[in-house]
Amino acid sequence: MPGPVPIRDAATVVLLRETPDGPSVLMGRRGARAAFMPSKYVFPGGALDPVDATVGFAAPLGPAHAALLGKLAAPLSACAIRELWEETGQILGRPAHWPDAPPGWRGFARTGHRPDAAALVPVFRAVTPPGQPRRFDARFFLARADHLASDPDNFDRAEDELAHLHWVPLTQSEALDLPRITLLALREVRARLDDPDPARPMPFFHGTMEADIRP
């Protein structure tokens, strides 16, 4: 019998933008053959890589936000920015020379930027329920598209992990085929728009979460 599926640390970016259709978030669809959440619409994100702990930021995560994440604050915020870059081609960074960028970050560095973690706000945490082929302890970061150093409508530099990258109005988001955790994160984003208090606590969902997704 196989042993328990290990839980890996991960980071996700909920990129928020004002559009003519109201507040919208950037989402894409995972491939039908993906081992984890096939064909589901998700935010850009992925597992923490050891190299993320070696990144030098143009600006670090804010002190209050870093306190929420403890010793993983810097690596997780780097992971979020790296995954956003890889999966969408969007640059959350500030102009800077970065000649010694580590492997995995050299493409980002060639754009002439260093990562800007000050643009990130941790808003949600969730552990993938048991029974999935992969499990993650994911921290969701909210970032405003105003902080991007790239064209928010240009996805030419994106890798092919996510298809149909587009801005989804929050009012239409629940019509998509979403994982439960993504649905919960969307509801937290909407709640924060109604209650922008910076001291709002960060929800943490784990277990089966069935009770947590009822309207």
Side-chain angles (χ1 to χ4, degrees), residues 79-150:
C79 175
I81 295 170
R82 176 180 53 77
E83 290 287 342
L84 178 69
W85 159 252
E86 292 175 354
E87 296 186 356
T88 73
Q90 296 297 321
I91 302 167
L92 200 58
R94 299 186 187 185
H97 188 47
W98 194 8
D100 57 345
W105 282 89
R106 291 171 184 167
F108 187 101
R110 282 194 293 270
T111 70
H113 298 83
R114 279 184 180 261
D116 177 15
L120 297 171
V121 178
V123 295
F124 185 75
R125 179 182 177 185
V127 174
T128 310
Q132 294 287 339
R134 296 177 183 172
R135 298 187 69 194
F136 299 96
D137 185 349
R139 284 69 159 191
F140 289 69
F141 294 88
L142 183 64
R144 299 275 179 172
D146 297 353
H147 293 287
L148 291 173
S150 49

Side-chain angles (χ1 to χ4, degrees), residues 6-90:
I7 299 175
R8 301 178 65 189
D9 288 303
T12 296
V13 179
V14 184
L15 201 57
L16 184 68
R17 180 188 187 189
E18 291 296 331
T19 72
D21 295 317
S24 300
V25 290
L26 183 58
M27 304 190 78
R29 186 180 63 237
R30 292 181 58 79
R33 297 184 179 181
F36 183 68
M37 296 183 178
S39 300
K40 299 288 187 180
Y41 278 89
V42 296
F43 305 115
L48 187 66
D49 190 298
V51 74
D52 295 327
T54 70
V55 168
F57 296 97
L61 197 66
H65 298 146
L68 288 174
L69 303 178
K71 64 182 181 180
L72 288 179
L76 285 170
S77 52
C79 175
I81 295 170
R82 176 180 53 77
E83 290 287 342
L84 178 69
W85 159 252
E86 292 175 354
E87 296 186 356
T88 73
Q90 296 297 321

